[in-house]
Amino acid sequence: MTRLVFPDVRYQNSFIAAMEEFQAEGRQTDLSLRQLEQHFPEFIARLRDTHHPPPDSGLVPETLYWAVDDREYIGHISLRHRLNPSLERYGGHIGYEVRPSRRREGHGTRMLALLLPHARRLGLQRVLITCSEDNIGSRKIIQTNGGQLQDIIQNEFQDVPTMRWWIDL
Ligand SMILES: CC(C)(COP(=O)(O)OP(=O)(O)OC[C@H]1O[C@@H](n2cnc3c(N)ncnc32)[C@H](O)[C@@H]1OP(=O)(O)O)[C@@H](O)C(=O)NCCC(=O)NCCS
């Protein structure tokens, strides 16, 4: 059964295998897997230390969770504690990815369901989630979790329009 945990060195092997899968489809291409293998504990420490970004970084505080199944990494989901003008147009409060070999097993839907109570505990009353209009899987994940469509906007840096959804907590 999928559960959310904080990034942890014990998932190193399956995490790196998942990154190979993501890279094969053109995602996470800025990660050097060789570097990752050599410096995994430092990498994990950075992932866990996103609550207090430097004031001039433009980043908002964020909590990253990994979805795991027994001892295997399945995907990640992050919760941004607040919005900024850029996230209001693209990104929203929550972003997620499921590793290619574990898609269409219901993990994306469950990851979002598991994350919403964390958002509520943080004091948020509703969360914004955005997805590209052609991302059927993500649309269904959001709708299954109670998403209400606000609007569909065109961001200049993207070919496909962006859907903005709110989930009341
Ligand atoms: C989008 C994504 C998170 C879906 O994860 P997932 O674990 O496969 O999702 P689920 O198994 O919970 O599927 C949810 C629903 O969408 C459907 N679905 C999933 N992927 C689909 C696809 N490519 N085409 C059509 N339907 C799809 C599922 O059949 C399921 O339908 P149901 O609710 O009627 O049963 C995953 O494909 C992914 O990581 N993609 C790349 C990153 C990304 O797009 N992230 C989201 C950014 S907004």
Side-chain angles (χ1 to χ4, degrees), residues 79-81 83 92-94 112 115-116 118-120 122 124-130 142 145-148 164-169:
L79 173 61
R80 296 179 271 268
H81 300 191
L83 298 174
H93 285 103
I94 295 171
L112 180 55
L115 186 78
L116 295 177
H118 292 285
R120 204 163 36 232
L122 201 62
L124 297 173
Q125 289 174 351
R126 56 181 197 149
V127 285
L128 177 69
I129 309 182
T130 71
I142 298 165
N145 280 286
Q148 297 291 320
R164 300 197 288 186
W165 303 81
W166 286 97
I167 299 179
D168 278 326
L169 301 175

Side-chain angles (χ1 to χ4, degrees), residues 8-134:
D8 193 297
V9 287
R10 82 181 70 168
Y11 302 106
Q12 175 168 349
N13 291 344
S14 60
F15 179 83
I16 290 175
M19 291 306 115
E20 282 171 7
E21 294 174 13
F22 281 122
Q23 290 191 343
E25 63 168 19
R27 296 178 190 275
Q28 311 288 350
T29 47
D30 51 342
L31 273 184
S32 156
L33 300 187
R34 207 149 52 90
Q35 288 286 325
L36 207 56
E37 273 169 3
Q38 287 168 1
H39 304 285
F40 204 68
E42 296 95 305
F43 174 72
I44 294 296
R46 275 205 308 281
L47 294 184
R48 292 177 73 137
D49 183 28
T50 49
H51 289 189
H52 305 287
D56 55 353
S57 66
L59 300 171
V60 300
E62 182 172 23
T63 307
L64 177 69
Y65 299 89
W66 282 358
V68 299
D69 184 0
D70 298 326
R71 302 189 69 79
E72 289 254 305
Y73 172 91
I74 293 173
H76 54 261
I77 184 161
S78 64
L79 173 61
R80 296 179 271 268
H81 300 191
R82 57 181 164 79
L83 298 174
N84 63 22
S86 158
L87 292 169
E88 276 167 17
R89 292 192 63 82
Y90 189 83
H93 285 103
I94 295 171
Y96 41 81
E97 282 183 330
V98 173
R99 67 187 285 185
S101 62
R102 301 301 303 271
R103 289 188 187 153
R104 304 195 78 157
E105 296 176 10
H107 296 300
T109 305
R110 184 164 160 77
M111 282 159 56
L112 180 55
L114 290 171
L115 186 78
L116 295 177
H118 292 285
R120 204 163 36 232
R121 274 198 290 279
L122 201 62
L124 297 173
Q125 289 174 351
R126 56 181 197 149
V127 285
L128 177 69
I129 309 182
T130 71
C131 71
S132 296
E133 197 176 22
D134 62 355

